Amino acid sequence: MTTQDPNYPAATGPVVVAMLTYKRPDDLAEAIPQILQHTAAARPPAVLMVIDNDPAGSAADAVGAFADDGVRYVNETTPGIAAARNRAIDEVAADSLLIFIDDDERPCEGWLDLMLATYGRFQSAAVVGPVVSEYEIEPEEWIRVGRFFDRRRLPTGTEVDVAATNNLLLDLSQVHQLSLRFDEKFGQSGGSDTLFTRQLVRRGGAMIWCDEAVVIDKVPAGRLTRRWVLHRAFRSGNSWVRTSLALEASAWARLVVRLKATGIGGVRIAGGLSRVVLGLVTRSTGSRVRGIRTMARGGGMAAGAVGYVYQEYRRKAAVTPEPITAPKDTAVHRAAG
């Protein structure tokens, strides 16, 4: 199925691929040419827009090298990925199709075409594609058997109720109708995409899986450590509870969420510990490591239930007392409706 499929809606507005970045010029230099191959092949051609979340505008030169190819540069100076995601929504027409992809990801053959075709078939508020990890260095056995970077794969057409923005298409006309924004309280902790997509489904929007539209996640060596993967497992549990609390309007419903999260977190900790013991007895590294991973996620849930917020993306304060002046946006224009 291609974008020429008769099910693809002729009245749909511009197609914009949004890549968010923060101090990764080398990734941009590699990723942008690959994305441009997909945007140029779309009919009509799509637009690539890079949202730089560095107040100093450090990505301006890297993106500017592709200005003649129509790549748009936007500098969002408010720290946090949620603000950058909202800026992407604000920068394009309300009837656009907006596709998020990360700057450390590389799309496989047919990626954009497949995402658009699935949208055309289902007319859903969102389309989600899979992310497959590729490592900068071979991970140690402890991380490999722990399956820390394994992600779900589902049949195309499956409805899902939560997703990340690392391979996500949004129909902005439906997003606006559902009054959706990324919550900037989650900008430093992560989880704003989890909350956004859970709200989308809860408010009546459909989110459809497209299993063929694969992107490759380039995992750097710095993330292939025991400390990093366990902190990510803890943050995952912590964010899930925080987004669950944010979904509830009443104090009573939030109390129920806290009690359930405390119970489930405790069960995960106990179950994970049992698995660790079993792994020690049977000398199974896989069982032991997956038990530790379960304990970390359970600990994050229990911590979230009592109000602890794990700030995974917290930035260090600037050392200079001088205010940072962000460069003016270059080649930034709202896509025509």
Side-chain angles (χ1 to χ4, degrees):
M1 185 181 294
T2 68
T3 53
Q4 287 75 38
D5 189 282
N7 288 321
Y8 189 75
T12 297
V15 176
V16 180
V17 176
M19 179 181 293
L20 278 54
T21 191
Y22 178 71
K23 295 186 177 181
R24 286 178 174 174
D26 293 339
D27 277 323
L28 289 176
E30 181 180 331
I32 290 176
Q34 295 188 31
I35 299 295
L36 287 175
Q37 293 178 17
H38 292 263
T39 57
R43 292 294 177 268
V47 174
L48 172 59
M49 176 176 63
V50 177
I51 309 291
D52 182 5
N53 199 214
D54 181 4
S58 58
D61 290 342
V63 179
F66 298 93
D68 291 343
D69 297 300
V71 179
R72 297 165 52 194
Y73 173 79
V74 179
N75 185 211
E76 174 52 57
T77 59
T78 301
I81 194 168
R85 288 166 176 157
N86 283 331
R87 182 67 180 270
I89 291 175
D90 294 339
E91 283 293 324
V92 299
D95 61 348
S96 299
L97 293 180
L98 182 64
I99 301 104
F100 283 106
I101 186 171
D102 289 351
D103 59 359
D104 56 355
E105 293 177 339
R106 308 294 178 261
C108 291
E109 183 177 356
W111 163 73
L112 181 57
D113 199 50
L114 289 161
M115 293 288 279
L116 294 173
T118 300
Y119 168 76
R121 176 184 172 191
F122 291 96
Q123 301 285 290
S124 51
V127 175
V128 187
V131 178
V132 176
S133 292
E134 183 178 286
Y135 309 111
E136 181 182 12
I137 62 173
E138 184 63 26
E140 64 167 306
E141 181 189 10
W142 197 93
I143 292 176
R144 190 172 60 253
V145 300
R147 300 174 184 171
F148 289 96
F149 293 95
D150 288 0
R151 296 180 174 93
R152 61 182 174 177
R153 298 296 296 267
L154 301 166
T156 295
T158 302
E159 289 198 37
V160 296
D161 58 7
V162 65
T165 56
N166 48 8
N167 190 8
L168 178 70
L169 177 151
L170 295 174
D171 177 348
L172 290 192
S173 62
Q174 296 190 55
V175 166
H176 290 302
Q177 289 170 11
L178 297 171
S179 300
L180 290 168
R181 298 281 290 176
F182 290 95
D183 191 333
E184 297 187 18
K185 291 194 298 292
F186 290 78
Q188 302 294 313
S189 64
S192 65
D193 49 357
T194 298
L195 177 59
F196 181 97
T197 53
R198 292 180 72 185
Q199 288 174 326
L200 183 148
V201 173
R202 179 171 284 203
R203 296 178 188 181
M207 193 157 50
I208 301 297
W209 186 264
C210 178
D211 200 56
E212 295 78 20
V214 177
V215 300
I216 303 298
D217 174 34
K218 308 283 283 187
V219 183
R223 293 186 176 186
L224 296 172
T225 67
R226 300 184 185 190
R227 176 183 175 85
W228 193 92
V229 296
L230 289 177
H231 279 211
R232 174 54 65 94
F234 182 93
R235 197 274 282 180
S236 177
N238 191 250
S239 293
W240 182 261
V241 174
R242 293 183 61 230
T243 59
S244 297
L245 289 167
L247 286 168
E248 302 300 339
S250 72
W252 171 252
R254 289 192 294 273
L255 176 60
V256 172
V257 169
R258 292 183 190 279
L259 293 174
K260 286 183 177 180
T262 301
I264 295 172
V267 169
R268 284 180 175 270
I269 293 171
L273 179 59
S274 297
R275 197 166 188 176
V276 169
V277 172
L278 178 63
L280 291 171
V281 172
T282 61
R283 297 184 179 181
S284 168
T285 302
S287 178
R288 180 165 54 87
V289 176
R290 288 191 287 275
I292 295 172
R293 183 188 64 186
T294 300
M295 292 174 65
R297 182 173 171 84
M301 296 180 70
V306 298
Y308 176 77
V309 178
Y310 180 63
Q311 301 280 353
E312 182 175 12
Y313 301 110
R314 181 175 54 194
R315 301 180 187 179
K316 294 181 180 180
V319 296
T320 173
E322 296 296 327
I324 297 175
T325 302
K328 294 182 180 179
D329 295 350
T330 58
V332 178
H333 303 285
R334 293 185 181 275

